[in-house]
Coordinates of all heavy atoms in Angstrom, one line a residue:
M883 N 121.2 103.9 98.2 CA 122.2 104.0 99.2 C 122.8 102.6 99.5 O 122.4 101.9 100.3 CB 121.6 104.6 100.5 CG 122.2 104.0 101.7 SD 121.5 104.5 103.4 CE 120.2 105.5 103.2
P884 N 123.8 102.2 98.7 CA 124.4 100.9 98.8 C 125.1 100.8 100.2 O 125.7 101.8 100.7 CB 125.4 100.8 97.7 CG 125.1 101.9 96.8 CD 124.3 103.0 97.5
C885 N 125.0 99.7 100.8 CA 125.8 99.4 102.0 C 127.2 99.0 101.7 O 127.4 98.1 100.8 CB 125.1 98.3 102.8 SG 123.4 98.7 103.3
D886 N 128.1 99.7 102.2 CA 129.5 99.3 102.0 C 130.2 99.1 103.4 O 129.6 99.4 104.4 CB 130.3 100.3 101.1 CG 130.3 101.7 101.7 OD1 130.3 101.8 102.9 OD2 130.2 102.6 100.9
G887 N 131.4 98.6 103.3 CA 132.1 98.3 104.6 C 132.5 99.5 105.4 O 132.8 99.4 106.5
D888 N 132.5 100.7 104.8 CA 132.9 101.9 105.5 C 131.8 102.6 106.2 O 132.0 103.5 107.0 CB 133.6 102.8 104.5 CG 134.8 102.2 103.9 OD1 135.5 101.4 104.5 OD2 135.1 102.6 102.7
T889 N 130.5 102.2 105.9 CA 129.4 102.9 106.5 C 128.6 102.0 107.4 O 128.2 100.9 107.0 CB 128.5 103.4 105.4 OG1 129.2 104.1 104.4 CG2 127.3 104.2 105.9
A890 N 128.5 102.4 108.7 CA 127.7 101.7 109.6 C 126.2 101.8 109.2 O 125.7 102.9 108.9 CB 127.9 102.2 111.0
P891 N 125.4 100.7 109.2 CA 124.0 100.8 108.9 C 123.3 101.5 110.0 O 123.6 101.5 111.1 CB 123.6 99.3 108.8 CG 124.6 98.5 109.6 CD 125.9 99.3 109.5
A892 N 122.2 102.2 109.5 CA 121.3 102.8 110.5 C 120.5 101.7 111.2 O 120.3 100.6 110.7 CB 120.4 103.8 109.7
F893 N 120.0 102.1 112.4 CA 119.2 101.1 113.1 C 117.8 101.1 112.5 O 117.2 102.1 112.4 CB 119.1 101.4 114.6 CG 118.2 100.4 115.3 CD1 118.6 99.1 115.6 CD2 116.9 100.7 115.6 CE1 117.8 98.2 116.2 CE2 116.0 99.8 116.2 CZ 116.5 98.6 116.5
V894 N 117.4 99.9 112.0 CA 116.1 99.7 111.5 C 115.5 98.5 112.3 O 116.2 97.5 112.4 CB 116.1 99.3 110.0 CG1 114.7 99.0 109.6 CG2 116.7 100.5 109.2
H895 N 114.4 98.7 113.0 CA 113.8 97.7 113.8 C 113.6 96.4 113.0 O 113.1 96.5 111.9 CB 112.5 98.2 114.4 CG 112.1 97.4 115.6 ND1 111.5 96.2 115.5 CD2 112.3 97.6 116.9 CE1 111.2 95.7 116.7 NE2 111.7 96.5 117.6
P896 N 114.0 95.3 113.6 CA 113.8 94.0 112.8 C 112.4 93.8 112.3 O 112.3 93.2 111.2 CB 114.2 92.9 113.9 CG 115.2 93.6 114.8 CD 114.7 95.1 114.9
S897 N 111.4 94.2 113.0 CA 110.0 94.0 112.5 C 109.8 94.8 111.2 O 109.1 94.3 110.4 CB 109.0 94.4 113.6 OG 109.1 95.8 113.9
R898 N 110.4 96.0 111.1 CA 110.3 96.7 109.8 C 111.0 96.0 108.7 O 110.5 95.9 107.6 CB 110.9 98.1 110.0 CG 110.0 99.1 110.8 CD 110.5 100.5 110.7 NE 110.5 101.0 109.4 CZ 111.2 102.0 108.9 NH1 112.1 102.6 109.7 NH2 111.2 102.4 107.7
L899 N 112.2 95.4 109.0 CA 112.9 94.6 108.0 C 112.1 93.4 107.6 O 111.9 93.1 106.4 CB 114.3 94.2 108.5 CG 115.3 95.3 108.7 CD1 116.6 94.7 109.3 CD2 115.6 96.0 107.4
R900 N 111.5 92.7 108.5 CA 110.6 91.6 108.2 C 109.5 92.0 107.3 O 109.1 91.3 106.4 CB 110.2 90.9 109.5 CG 111.3 90.1 110.1 CD 110.7 89.2 111.2 NE 110.1 89.9 112.3 CZ 110.8 90.4 113.4 NH1 112.1 90.2 113.5 NH2 110.1 91.0 114.3
Q901 N 108.8 93.1 107.7 CA 107.7 93.5 106.9 C 108.1 93.9 105.5 O 107.4 93.5 104.5 CB 107.0 94.8 107.6 CG 105.8 95.3 106.8 CD 104.7 94.2 106.7 OE1 104.3 93.6 107.7 NE2 104.2 94.0 105.5
C902 N 109.2 94.5 105.3 CA 109.7 94.8 104.0 C 110.1 93.5 103.2 O 109.9 93.5 102.0 CB 110.9 95.7 104.0 SG 110.5 97.4 104.3
L903 N 110.6 92.5 103.9 CA 110.9 91.3 103.2 C 109.6 90.6 102.8 O 109.5 90.0 101.7 CB 111.7 90.4 104.1 CG 113.2 90.9 104.3 CD1 113.9 90.1 105.4 CD2 114.0 90.8 103.0
F904 N 108.5 90.6 103.6 CA 107.2 90.1 103.2 C 106.7 90.9 102.0 O 106.2 90.3 101.0 CB 106.2 90.2 104.3 CG 106.3 89.0 105.3 CD1 106.7 89.3 106.6 CD2 106.1 87.7 104.9 CE1 106.8 88.3 107.5 CE2 106.2 86.7 105.8 CZ 106.5 86.9 107.1
T905 N 106.8 92.2 102.0 CA 106.4 93.0 100.9 C 107.2 92.7 99.6 O 106.7 92.5 98.5 CB 106.6 94.5 101.2 OG1 105.7 94.8 102.4 CG2 106.2 95.4 100.1
L906 N 108.5 92.5 99.8 CA 109.4 92.2 98.7 C 109.0 90.8 98.1 O 108.9 90.7 96.8 CB 110.8 92.1 99.1 CG 111.9 91.7 98.1 CD1 111.9 92.6 96.9 CD2 113.2 91.6 98.7
A907 N 108.7 89.8 98.9 CA 108.3 88.5 98.4 C 107.0 88.7 97.6 O 106.8 88.1 96.5 CB 108.1 87.6 99.6
E908 N 106.1 89.5 98.1 CA 104.8 89.6 97.4 C 105.0 90.4 96.1 O 104.5 90.0 95.0 CB 103.8 90.5 98.3 CG 102.5 90.7 97.6 CD 101.5 91.4 98.5 OE1 102.0 92.0 99.5 OE2 100.3 91.4 98.2
L909 N 105.8 91.4 96.1 CA 106.1 92.1 94.8 C 106.8 91.2 93.8 O 106.5 91.3 92.6 CB 107.0 93.3 95.1 CG 106.4 94.5 95.9 CD1 107.5 95.5 96.3 CD2 105.3 95.2 95.1
L910 N 107.7 90.4 94.3 CA 108.4 89.5 93.3 C 107.4 88.6 92.7 O 107.4 88.4 91.5 CB 109.5 88.8 94.1 CG 110.7 89.6 94.5 CD1 111.7 88.8 95.4 CD2 111.5 90.1 93.3
H911 N 106.6 88.0 93.6 CA 105.6 87.0 93.1 C 104.6 87.6 92.1 O 104.4 87.1 91.0 CB 104.8 86.4 94.3 CG 103.7 85.5 93.8 ND1 102.5 85.9 93.6 CD2 103.8 84.2 93.6 CE1 101.7 84.9 93.3 NE2 102.5 83.8 93.2
D912 N 104.1 88.8 92.4 CA 103.2 89.5 91.6 C 103.8 89.9 90.2 O 103.0 90.2 89.3 CB 102.6 90.7 92.3 CG 101.7 90.4 93.4 OD1 101.3 89.2 93.6 OD2 101.4 91.3 94.2
N913 N 105.1 90.0 90.2 CA 105.7 90.5 88.9 C 106.5 89.4 88.3 O 107.4 89.7 87.5 CB 106.6 91.7 89.2 CG 105.7 92.9 89.6 OD1 105.2 93.5 88.7 ND2 105.5 93.2 90.8
G914 N 106.2 88.1 88.6 CA 106.8 87.0 87.9 C 108.2 86.6 88.3 O 108.9 85.9 87.6
H915 N 108.6 87.0 89.5 CA 110.0 86.6 90.0 C 109.8 85.7 91.1 O 108.7 85.5 91.7 CB 110.7 87.9 90.5 CG 111.0 88.9 89.4 ND1 112.0 88.8 88.5 CD2 110.4 90.1 89.2 CE1 112.0 89.8 87.7 NE2 111.0 90.7 88.1
V916 N 110.9 85.1 91.6 CA 111.0 84.2 92.7 C 112.0 84.8 93.7 O 112.8 85.7 93.4 CB 111.4 82.8 92.4 CG1 110.3 82.1 91.5 CG2 112.7 82.8 91.6
L917 N 111.9 84.4 95.0 CA 112.8 84.9 96.0 C 114.3 84.8 95.6 O 115.1 85.7 95.9 CB 112.6 84.3 97.3 CG 111.4 84.8 98.1 CD1 111.2 84.0 99.3 CD2 111.7 86.3 98.5
E918 N 114.7 83.7 94.9 CA 116.0 83.6 94.5 C 116.5 84.7 93.6 O 117.7 84.9 93.5 CB 116.2 82.2 93.8 CG 116.2 81.0 94.7 CD 114.8 80.5 95.1 OE1 113.8 81.2 94.6 OE2 114.7 79.5 95.8
T919 N 115.6 85.5 93.0 CA 116.0 86.6 92.2 C 116.9 87.6 93.0 O 117.8 88.2 92.5 CB 114.8 87.4 91.7 OG1 114.0 86.5 90.9 CG2 115.2 88.6 90.9
V920 N 116.5 87.7 94.3 CA 117.3 88.6 95.2 C 118.2 87.9 96.2 O 119.0 88.6 96.9 CB 116.4 89.7 95.8 CG1 115.7 90.6 94.8 CG2 115.3 89.0 96.7
T921 N 118.0 86.6 96.4 CA 118.8 85.9 97.4 C 120.1 85.4 96.8 O 121.1 85.1 97.6 CB 118.1 84.8 98.1 OG1 117.7 83.8 97.1 CG2 116.9 85.3 98.8
L922 N 120.2 85.3 95.5 CA 121.4 84.8 94.9 C 122.3 86.0 94.5 O 121.8 86.8 93.7 CB 121.2 83.9 93.7 CG 120.4 82.6 94.0 CD1 120.0 81.9 92.7 CD2 121.2 81.7 94.9
P923 N 123.5 86.1 95.1 CA 124.3 87.3 94.8 C 124.6 87.6 93.3 O 124.7 88.8 92.9 CB 125.6 87.1 95.6 CG 125.2 86.1 96.6 CD 124.1 85.3 96.0
G924 N 124.6 86.6 92.5 CA 124.9 86.8 91.1 C 123.6 87.2 90.3 O 123.7 87.5 89.1
C925 N 122.5 87.2 90.9 CA 121.2 87.6 90.2 C 120.9 89.1 90.6 O 121.7 89.9 90.5 CB 120.1 86.7 90.6 SG 120.4 85.0 90.0
G926 N 119.7 89.3 91.1 CA 119.3 90.6 91.5 C 118.3 91.2 90.6 O 118.1 90.8 89.4
L927 N 117.6 92.2 91.1 CA 116.7 93.0 90.3 C 117.4 94.1 89.5 O 118.2 94.8 90.1 CB 115.6 93.7 91.1 CG 114.6 92.8 91.8 CD1 113.8 93.6 92.8 CD2 113.7 92.1 90.8
T928 N 117.2 94.2 88.2 CA 117.9 95.2 87.4 C 117.3 96.5 87.7 O 116.2 96.7 88.3 CB 117.8 94.9 85.9 OG1 116.4 95.0 85.6 CG2 118.3 93.5 85.6
R929 N 118.0 97.6 87.2 CA 117.5 98.9 87.4 C 116.1 99.0 86.7 O 115.2 99.7 87.2 CB 118.4 99.9 86.7 CG 119.7 100.2 87.5 CD 120.6 101.2 86.9 NE 121.8 101.4 87.6 CZ 123.0 100.9 87.2 NH1 123.1 100.3 86.1 NH2 124.1 101.1 88.0
G930 N 116.0 98.4 85.5 CA 114.7 98.5 84.8 C 113.6 97.8 85.6 O 112.4 98.3 85.6
E931 N 113.9 96.6 86.2 CA 112.9 95.9 86.9 C 112.5 96.7 88.2 O 111.3 96.8 88.5 CB 113.4 94.5 87.3 CG 113.6 93.6 86.1 CD 114.4 92.4 86.4 OE1 115.2 92.4 87.3 OE2 114.2 91.4 85.7
M932 N 113.5 97.4 88.8 CA 113.1 98.2 90.0 C 112.3 99.4 89.5 O 111.3 99.8 90.2 CB 114.4 98.7 90.7 CG 115.1 97.5 91.4 SD 116.5 98.1 92.4 CE 117.8 98.3 91.1
A933 N 112.6 100.0 88.4 CA 111.8 101.1 87.9 C 110.4 100.7 87.6 O 109.4 101.4 87.9 CB 112.4 101.7 86.7
E934 N 110.2 99.5 87.1 CA 108.8 99.0 86.8 C 108.1 98.8 88.1 O 106.9 99.1 88.1 CB 108.9 97.6 86.1 CG 109.3 97.7 84.6 CD 109.5 96.3 84.0 OE1 108.9 95.3 84.5 OE2 110.2 96.2 83.0
L935 N 108.7 98.2 89.1 CA 108.0 98.1 90.4 C 107.6 99.4 90.9 O 106.5 99.5 91.4 CB 109.0 97.4 91.4 CG 109.3 95.9 91.2 CD1 110.3 95.4 92.2 CD2 108.0 95.1 91.2
E936 N 108.4 100.4 90.9 CA 108.1 101.7 91.4 C 107.0 102.4 90.6 O 106.1 103.0 91.1 CB 109.3 102.6 91.5 CG 109.1 103.8 92.3 CD 108.5 103.6 93.7 OE1 108.8 102.6 94.4 OE2 107.7 104.5 94.2
A937 N 107.1 102.2 89.3 CA 106.1 102.8 88.4 C 104.7 102.3 88.7 O 103.7 103.0 88.5 CB 106.4 102.6 86.9
R938 N 104.6 101.1 89.3 CA 103.3 100.5 89.6 C 102.7 101.0 90.9 O 101.7 100.6 91.4 CB 103.4 99.0 89.6 CG 103.7 98.5 88.3 CD 103.8 97.0 88.3 NE 104.1 96.5 86.9 CZ 104.3 95.3 86.6 NH1 104.3 94.4 87.5 NH2 104.6 95.0 85.4
G939 N 103.4 101.9 91.6 CA 103.0 102.5 92.8 C 103.0 101.4 93.9 O 102.2 101.5 94.8
S940 N 103.9 100.5 93.9 CA 104.0 99.4 94.8 C 104.6 99.7 96.1 O 104.6 98.9 97.0 CB 104.8 98.3 94.1 OG 106.1 98.7 93.9
G941 N 105.2 100.9 96.3 CA 106.0 101.2 97.5 C 107.4 100.6 97.5 O 108.0 100.6 98.5
W942 N 107.8 100.2 96.3 CA 109.1 99.5 96.2 C 110.2 100.4 96.7 O 111.1 100.0 97.5 CB 109.4 99.1 94.8 CG 110.8 98.8 94.6 CD1 111.7 99.5 93.8 CD2 111.6 97.8 95.2 NE1 113.0 99.0 93.8 CE2 113.0 97.9 94.7 CE3 111.4 96.8 96.1 CZ2 114.0 97.1 95.1 CZ3 112.4 96.0 96.5 CH2 113.7 96.1 96.0
A943 N 110.2 101.7 96.4 CA 111.3 102.6 96.8 C 111.5 102.7 98.3 O 112.6 102.6 98.8 CB 111.1 104.0 96.2
A944 N 110.3 102.8 99.0 CA 110.4 102.8 100.5 C 110.9 101.5 101.1 O 111.7 101.5 102.0 CB 109.0 103.2 101.1
C945 N 110.5 100.4 100.5 CA 110.9 99.1 101.0 C 112.4 98.9 100.7 O 113.1 98.5 101.6 CB 110.1 98.0 100.2 SG 110.4 96.4 100.8
R946 N 112.8 99.3 99.5 CA 114.3 99.2 99.2 C 115.1 100.0 100.1 O 116.1 99.6 100.7 CB 114.5 99.6 97.8 CG 115.9 99.6 97.3 CD 116.1 100.1 95.9 NE 117.5 100.3 95.6 CZ 117.9 100.9 94.5 NH1 117.1 101.3 93.6 NH2 119.2 101.0 94.3
E947 N 114.6 101.3 100.4 CA 115.4 102.2 101.3 C 115.5 101.6 102.7 O 116.6 101.6 103.3 CB 114.7 103.5 101.3 CG 115.4 104.6 102.1 CD 114.7 105.9 102.1 OE1 114.4 106.4 101.0 OE2 114.4 106.4 103.2
T948 N 114.4 101.0 103.2 CA 114.4 100.4 104.5 C 115.4 99.2 104.5 O 116.2 99.1 105.5 CB 113.0 99.9 104.9 OG1 112.2 101.1 104.9 CG2 113.0 99.3 106.2
L949 N 115.4 98.4 103.5 CA 116.3 97.2 103.5 C 117.7 97.6 103.4 O 118.6 97.1 104.1 CB 115.9 96.3 102.3 CG 114.6 95.6 102.5 CD1 114.2 94.9 101.2 CD2 114.6 94.6 103.6
E950 N 118.0 98.6 102.6 CA 119.4 99.1 102.5 C 119.8 99.8 103.8 O 121.0 99.6 104.2 CB 119.5 100.0 101.3 CG 119.4 99.3 100.0 CD 119.6 100.1 98.7 OE1 119.4 101.3 98.8 OE2 119.9 99.5 97.7
A951 N 118.9 100.6 104.4 CA 119.3 101.3 105.6 C 119.6 100.3 106.8 O 120.4 100.6 107.6 CB 118.2 102.3 106.0
G952 N 118.9 99.2 106.8 CA 119.1 98.2 107.8 C 120.1 97.1 107.4 O 120.3 96.1 108.1
A953 N 120.9 97.4 106.3 CA 121.9 96.5 105.9 C 121.4 95.1 105.5 O 122.2 94.1 105.5 CB 123.0 96.3 106.9
A954 N 120.1 95.0 105.1 CA 119.6 93.7 104.6 C 119.5 93.7 103.1 O 119.3 92.6 102.5 CB 118.2 93.6 105.2
G955 N 119.8 94.8 102.4 CA 119.8 94.8 101.0 C 120.8 95.8 100.5 O 121.2 96.7 101.2
T956 N 121.3 95.6 99.2 CA 122.3 96.5 98.7 C 122.1 96.5 97.2 O 121.5 95.6 96.6 CB 123.7 96.1 99.1 OG1 124.6 97.1 98.7 CG2 124.1 94.8 98.5
T957 N 122.8 97.4 96.5 CA 122.8 97.5 95.1 C 124.3 97.1 94.7 O 125.2 97.7 95.2 CB 122.5 98.9 94.6 OG1 121.2 99.2 95.0 CG2 122.5 98.9 93.0
T958 N 124.4 96.2 93.8 CA 125.7 95.7 93.3 C 126.3 96.7 92.4 O 125.7 97.7 92.0 CB 125.6 94.4 92.6 OG1 124.8 94.6 91.4 CG2 124.9 93.3 93.4
E959 N 127.6 96.5 92.1 CA 128.3 97.4 91.2 C 127.6 97.4 89.8 O 127.7 98.3 89.0 CB 129.8 96.9 91.0 CG 130.6 97.2 92.3 CD 132.0 96.7 92.1 OE1 132.4 96.4 91.0 OE2 132.7 96.7 93.2
E960 N 126.9 96.3 89.5 CA 126.2 96.2 88.2 C 124.9 96.9 88.2 O 124.1 96.9 87.3 CB 126.0 94.7 87.8 CG 127.3 94.0 87.5 CD 128.0 93.5 88.8 OE1 127.3 93.3 89.8 OE2 129.2 93.3 88.8
G961 N 124.5 97.4 89.4 CA 123.2 98.1 89.5 C 122.1 97.2 89.9 O 120.9 97.7 89.7
R962 N 122.3 96.1 90.3 CA 121.2 95.1 90.7 C 121.0 95.1 92.2 O 122.0 95.1 93.0 CB 121.6 93.7 90.2 CG 121.6 93.6 88.7 CD 122.1 92.2 88.3 NE 122.1 92.0 86.9 CZ 121.0 91.5 86.2 NH1 120.0 91.0 86.9 NH2 121.1 91.4 84.9
F963 N 119.7 95.0 92.6 CA 119.4 95.0 94.0 C 119.4 93.5 94.4 O 118.8 92.7 93.8 CB 118.0 95.6 94.3 CG 117.6 95.4 95.7 CD1 118.1 96.3 96.6 CD2 116.9 94.3 96.1 CE1 117.7 96.2 98.0 CE2 116.5 94.2 97.5 CZ 117.0 95.1 98.4
V964 N 120.2 93.2 95.5 CA 120.2 91.9 96.1 C 120.2 92.0 97.6 O 120.4 93.1 98.1 CB 121.5 91.1 95.7 CG1 121.5 90.8 94.2 CG2 122.7 91.8 96.1
L965 N 119.8 90.9 98.2 CA 119.8 90.9 99.7 C 121.3 90.6 100.1 O 122.0 89.9 99.5 CB 118.9 89.8 100.2 CG 117.4 90.1 100.0 CD1 116.6 89.0 100.5 CD2 116.9 91.4 100.5
T966 N 121.6 91.2 101.3 CA 122.9 90.9 101.9 C 122.8 89.6 102.7 O 121.7 89.0 102.7 CB 123.3 92.0 102.8 OG1 122.3 92.1 103.9 CG2 123.4 93.4 102.1
R967 N 123.9 89.2 103.3 CA 123.9 88.0 104.1 C 122.8 88.1 105.2 O 122.0 87.2 105.4 CB 125.2 87.8 104.8 CG 125.3 86.5 105.6 CD 126.7 86.4 106.2 NE 126.7 85.2 107.0 CZ 127.2 84.0 106.5 NH1 127.6 83.9 105.3 NH2 127.2 82.9 107.3
L968 N 122.7 89.3 105.8 CA 121.6 89.5 106.8 C 120.2 89.3 106.2 O 119.4 88.6 106.8 CB 121.7 90.9 107.4 CG 120.6 91.3 108.3 CD1 120.5 90.4 109.6 CD2 120.7 92.8 108.7
G969 N 120.0 89.9 105.1 CA 118.7 89.8 104.4 C 118.4 88.3 104.0 O 117.3 87.9 104.2
R970 N 119.4 87.6 103.5 CA 119.2 86.2 103.1 C 118.9 85.4 104.4 O 118.0 84.5 104.3 CB 120.4 85.7 102.4 CG 120.6 86.3 101.0 CD 121.7 85.6 100.2 NE 123.0 85.6 100.9 CZ 124.0 86.5 100.7 NH1 123.8 87.5 100.0 NH2 125.1 86.3 101.3
E971 N 119.6 85.6 105.5 CA 119.3 84.9 106.7 C 117.9 85.2 107.2 O 117.2 84.2 107.7 CB 120.3 85.2 107.8 CG 121.7 84.7 107.5 CD 122.8 85.2 108.5 OE1 122.5 86.0 109.3 OE2 123.9 84.7 108.3
M972 N 117.4 86.4 107.1 CA 116.1 86.7 107.5 C 115.1 86.1 106.6 O 114.0 85.6 107.1 CB 115.9 88.3 107.6 CG 116.7 88.9 108.6 SD 116.4 90.7 108.7 CE 114.8 90.7 109.6
V973 N 115.3 86.0 105.3 CA 114.4 85.3 104.4 C 114.3 83.9 104.7 O 113.3 83.3 104.8 CB 114.8 85.6 102.9 CG1 114.2 84.6 102.0 CG2 114.6 87.0 102.5
F974 N 115.5 83.3 105.0 CA 115.5 81.9 105.4 C 114.6 81.7 106.7 O 113.8 80.7 106.7 CB 117.0 81.4 105.7 CG 117.1 80.0 106.2 CD1 117.0 79.0 105.3 CD2 117.3 79.8 107.6 CE1 117.1 77.7 105.8 CE2 117.4 78.5 108.0 CZ 117.3 77.4 107.2
D975 N 114.8 82.5 107.7 CA 114.0 82.4 108.9 C 112.5 82.6 108.6 O 111.7 81.9 109.3 CB 114.5 83.4 109.9 CG 115.8 83.1 110.5 OD1 116.3 82.0 110.4 OD2 116.4 84.1 111.1
L976 N 112.2 83.5 107.7 CA 110.8 83.8 107.5 C 110.1 82.7 106.6 O 108.9 82.4 106.8 CB 110.6 85.1 106.8 CG 110.9 86.3 107.6 CD1 111.0 87.6 106.8 CD2 109.9 86.5 108.7
F977 N 110.8 82.3 105.6 CA 110.2 81.4 104.5 C 110.7 80.0 104.4 O 110.2 79.2 103.7 CB 110.3 82.1 103.1 CG 109.7 83.5 103.1 CD1 110.4 84.6 103.1 CD2 108.3 83.6 103.1 CE1 109.8 85.9 103.0 CE2 107.7 84.9 103.1 CZ 108.5 86.0 103.0
G978 N 111.8 79.7 105.1 CA 112.3 78.3 105.1 C 113.4 78.2 104.1 O 113.7 79.0 103.3
Q979 N 114.0 77.0 104.2 CA 115.2 76.7 103.4 C 115.0 76.8 101.9 O 115.8 77.3 101.2 CB 115.7 75.3 103.8 CG 117.0 74.9 103.1 CD 117.6 73.6 103.6 OE1 117.0 72.9 104.4 NE2 118.7 73.2 103.1
G980 N 113.9 76.3 101.4 CA 113.7 76.3 100.0 C 113.6 77.7 99.4 O 113.8 77.9 98.2
A981 N 113.2 78.7 100.3 CA 113.1 80.1 99.8 C 114.4 80.8 99.7 O 114.5 81.7 98.9 CB 112.2 80.8 100.7
A982 N 115.4 80.3 100.4 CA 116.7 81.0 100.4 C 117.8 80.0 100.6 O 118.5 80.0 101.6 CB 116.7 82.1 101.4
D983 N 118.0 79.1 99.7 CA 119.0 78.1 99.9 C 120.4 78.6 100.1 O 121.2 77.9 100.6 CB 119.0 77.1 98.6 CG 117.7 76.3 98.6 OD1 117.1 76.0 99.7 OD2 117.3 75.9 97.5
C984 N 120.6 79.8 99.7 CA 122.0 80.3 99.8 C 122.3 81.0 101.1 O 123.3 81.5 101.4 CB 122.3 81.3 98.7 SG 121.2 82.7 98.7
A985 N 121.3 81.1 102.0 CA 121.5 81.8 103.3 C 122.4 81.1 104.2 O 123.4 80.9 104.4 CB 120.1 81.9 104.0

């Protein structure tokens, strides 16, 4: 469910978004990625990488759905998952400047 300008995001409690961002950071680390994979708009997780995460039973699909519903994440036209401005700002708040230099 990509977030677009025509659709108002559902309310997702900020604590749920933070928990999903912590989970995302852990998943990225465990699978050889860094936070910049999803914080840089030109990067992102590919469809294949997302499928690998879900195949491992990591709970990725639920986390992704929560981030997208709360307007903290989106899927680009190229099919890559990235964090939105809100998501990048939250990552910056949680992990510091080095974790999300583009926030």
Side-chain angles (χ1 to χ4, degrees):
M883 146 185 0
C885 297
D886 58 36
D888 297 332
T889 305
F893 176 77
V894 177
H895 198 278
S897 64
R898 285 190 62 205
L899 291 175
R900 285 191 297 273
Q901 182 59 49
C902 282
L903 289 169
F904 278 116
T905 300
L906 175 60
E908 182 178 14
L909 290 171
L910 291 171
H911 177 268
D912 290 349
N913 290 281
H915 298 283
V916 293
L917 280 172
E918 286 82 356
T919 301
V920 293
T921 60
L922 297 174
C925 294
L927 290 171
T928 66
R929 287 182 182 108
E931 291 166 335
M932 290 186 282
E934 286 177 22
L935 289 176
E936 191 53 33
R938 294 180 182 177
S940 63
W942 163 246
C945 185
R946 176 183 173 188
E947 183 177 307
T948 298
L949 292 170
E950 288 181 340
T956 191
T957 302
T958 66
E959 292 178 11
E960 295 82 23
R962 293 174 176 265
F963 177 83
V964 294
L965 295 177
T966 63
R967 181 180 183 95
L968 171 65
R970 292 189 303 269
E971 289 173 357
M972 292 182 78
V973 165
F974 176 80
D975 290 343
L976 293 170
F977 301 108
Q979 184 174 3
D983 289 332
C984 60

